[in-house]
């Protein structure tokens, strides 16, 4: 009888321990929530500043569209701009238009909206195109560096080595690779789980602020983001650096001062664009997402999503004689047509 009581007590104690263990496990599991939309906190919560930012970014967006679309049209109609350098530049302008259009319209809408929301699907789509276009742009910049290397270091072979067919193949690789990598990265973003906090501390859907508010699937997304960004930025930047090291060596060997000046002038615009774009992206994506880094990244993101696409056409045209001459001829032709 005493043995039975002892066994019953032991079984009761074991059952109690198992129940406590299960309750502890349930408490440890995050309460995942189905998310249908996010709230974009934007740049500021002050109403008067939101109206000011709307006007500023609307003007910047209009200048970006006019500048880049104008550059594409100018390159397509000007005979003196039918070279590999300007072919690649037209694609850079196209990507800048897409890059800015992926972010700015929604930002402008939310600046005047009270809800400031974006659907879950819309957020993933924005992430997909953002990551894809970033990769396309960094590799186009690398291709443009290789183009400058060929033009300066192998001028006699430039036309034959970079034929139209070769240029089309070179420019196709960044698009195919960028959109393929982005699909993988977006699937990992889709693997993030959320537990009720749907407020994104940003003005568009980006990986770092999404990781910051997620409560599941965070580690794989965080590490893959840093690894993929690190590999692609390092590889594309290496192409740029190697190309320019060889260019510097070739320029130092030149005996003509005019030849040196021309080489430096053709490379200066590209180097400026590379420095701005890579610098801001490295600051944004090669750091662990913390509250401080997300807040700082939001300010930096303004620069590379709105300002750089606006500045690129100016950088490549203000100091470029060929572009200036093409603009003057286009204006003269338009006036004569009237």
């Amino acid at each position: 009888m005493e043995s039975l009581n002892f066994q019953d007590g032991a079984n009761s104690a074991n059952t109690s321990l198992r129940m406590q263990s299960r309750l502890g496990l349930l408490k440890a599991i995050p309460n995942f929530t189905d998310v249908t939309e996010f709230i974009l906190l934007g740049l500021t919560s002050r109403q008067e500043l939101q109206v000011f930012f709307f006007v500023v970014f609307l003007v910047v967006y209009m200048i970006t569209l006019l500048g880049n679309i104008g550059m594409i049209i100018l390159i397509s109609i000007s005979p003196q701009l039918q070279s590999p350098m300007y072919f690649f530049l037209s694609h850079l302008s196209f990507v800048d238009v897409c890059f800015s259009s992926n972010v700015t319209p929604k930002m402008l809408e939310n600046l005047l909206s009270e809800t400031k929301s974006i659907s879950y699907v819309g957020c993933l789509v924005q992430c997909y195109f953002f990551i894809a276009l970033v990769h396309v742009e960094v590799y186009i910049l690398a291709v443009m560096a290789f183009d400058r290397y060929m033009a300066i270091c192998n001028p006699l072979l430039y036309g034959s080595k970079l034929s139209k067919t070769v240029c089309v193949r070179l420019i196709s690789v960044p698009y195919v690779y960028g959109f393929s990598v982005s699909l993988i990265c977006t699937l990992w973003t889709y693997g993030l789980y959320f537990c009720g906090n749907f407020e994104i501390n940003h003005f568009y859907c980006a990986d770092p602020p999404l990781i910051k508010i997620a409560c599941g699937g965070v580690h794989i997304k965080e590490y893959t983001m840093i690894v993929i960004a690190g590999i692609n930025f390092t590889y594309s930047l290496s192409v740029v650096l190697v190309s320019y090291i060889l260019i510097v060596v070739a320029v130092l060997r030149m005996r003509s001062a005019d030849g040196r000046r021309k080489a430096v002038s053709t490379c200066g615009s590209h180097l400026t664009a590379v420095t701005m774009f890579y610098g801001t992206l490295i600051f944004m994506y090669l750091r662990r997402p913390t509250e401080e880094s997300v807040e700082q990244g939001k300010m930096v993101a303004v620069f590379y999503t709105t300002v750089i696409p606006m500045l690129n056409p100016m950088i490549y045209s203000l100091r470029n004689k060929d572009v200036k001459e093409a603009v003057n001829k286009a204006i003269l032709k338009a006036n004569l047509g009237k």
Side-chain angles (χ1 to χ4, degrees):
M1 195 72 176
E2 289 179 0
S3 175
L4 288 173
N5 288 336
F6 178 77
Q7 289 179 354
D8 289 342
N11 289 335
S12 177
N14 289 334
T15 302
S16 178
L17 287 172
R18 283 196 297 270
M19 288 295 293
Q20 289 177 6
S21 177
R22 288 175 182 175
L23 286 171
L25 182 62
L26 288 172
K27 288 180 181 179
I29 296 174
N31 184 21
F32 297 137
T33 308
D34 289 333
V35 55
T36 57
E37 66 177 17
F38 293 102
I39 304 299
L40 295 169
L41 297 182
L43 294 172
T44 180
S45 58
R46 294 173 61 180
Q47 188 64 38
E48 65 276 12
L49 286 180
Q50 289 180 8
V51 175
F52 171 74
F53 283 149
F54 176 84
V55 174
V56 170
F57 289 122
L58 179 61
V59 171
V60 170
Y61 184 53
M62 290 296 103
I63 295 173
T64 300
L65 292 182
L66 290 172
N68 285 287
I69 293 174
M71 181 67 77
I72 294 169
I73 294 171
L74 184 66
I75 291 171
S76 65
I77 65 174
S78 300
Q80 65 267 42
L81 301 183
Q82 302 306 307
S83 69
M85 173 183 173
Y86 296 108
F87 173 76
F88 297 135
L89 179 56
S90 66
H91 280 273
L92 181 67
S93 293
F94 171 73
V95 172
D96 278 339
V97 169
C98 297
F99 195 60
S100 184
S101 298
N102 182 48
V103 172
T104 309
K106 188 63 181 179
M107 178 180 67
L108 292 173
E109 177 191 333
N110 284 343
L111 283 169
L112 297 183
S113 173
E114 292 184 4
T115 57
K116 306 185 186 307
S117 62
I118 184 171
S119 67
Y120 179 71
V121 174
C123 186
L124 288 180
V125 169
Q126 196 174 62
C127 279
Y128 173 71
F129 280 103
F130 181 84
I131 296 169
L133 292 168
V134 165
H135 283 88
V136 173
E137 182 143 349
V138 295
Y139 280 106
I140 286 180
L141 290 171
V143 169
M144 292 175 75
F146 175 73
D147 167 73
R148 290 299 81 209
Y149 156 73
M150 290 296 295
I152 294 169
C153 299
N154 299 285
L156 299 177
L157 299 175
Y158 182 59
S160 59
K161 291 292 185 181
L162 287 182
S163 63
K164 188 69 175 179
T165 303
V166 173
C167 288
V168 170
R169 289 174 182 173
L170 282 173
I171 205 64
S172 299
V173 173
Y175 285 104
V176 173
Y177 179 77
F179 281 91
S180 300
V181 168
S182 181
L183 180 61
I184 298 170
C185 294
T186 306
L187 289 174
W188 278 319
T189 303
Y190 181 73
L192 293 173
Y193 295 96
F194 302 91
C195 302
N197 180 16
F198 303 142
E199 292 185 343
I200 301 175
N201 186 18
H202 220 293
F203 58 90
Y204 69 92
C205 281
D207 282 342
L210 279 171
I211 291 171
K212 192 72 183 69
I213 65 171
C215 58
V218 172
H219 295 296
I220 184 170
K221 175 60 185 176
E222 183 178 329
Y223 292 131
T224 52
M225 180 191 73
I226 294 173
V227 170
I228 289 176
I231 290 172
N232 286 289
F233 292 165
T234 301
Y235 181 74
S236 57
L237 191 57
S238 296
V239 173
V240 174
L241 292 175
V242 171
S243 297
Y244 274 104
I245 288 171
L246 296 173
I247 288 171
V248 169
V249 172
V251 169
L252 291 176
R253 290 176 178 174
M254 289 180 182
R255 296 181 180 180
S256 170
D258 290 336
R260 290 182 180 181
R261 277 196 297 270
K262 187 176 180 181
V264 171
S265 65
T266 58
C267 296
S269 300
H270 180 256
L271 276 174
T272 303
V274 166
T275 302
M276 290 193 304
F277 197 73
Y278 277 88
T280 52
L281 285 176
I282 288 170
F283 184 84
M284 177 79 174
Y285 282 95
L286 295 187
R287 302 188 302 165
R288 290 177 63 88
T290 62
E291 195 67 41
E292 183 182 3
S293 68
V294 168
E295 193 65 35
Q296 291 172 349
K298 186 165 63 172
M299 297 299 106
V300 174
V302 172
F303 192 71
Y304 68 74
T305 57
T306 59
V307 178
I308 290 178
M310 178 189 68
L311 291 179
N312 274 343
M314 301 179 189
I315 291 170
Y316 282 99
S317 61
L318 291 177
R319 296 179 59 189
N320 191 306
K321 291 182 180 180
D322 292 336
V323 173
K324 288 179 182 179
E325 288 177 6
V327 170
N328 291 332
K329 288 181 180 179
I331 293 172
L332 182 62
K333 188 175 180 180
N335 290 332
L336 290 174
K338 294 178 180 177

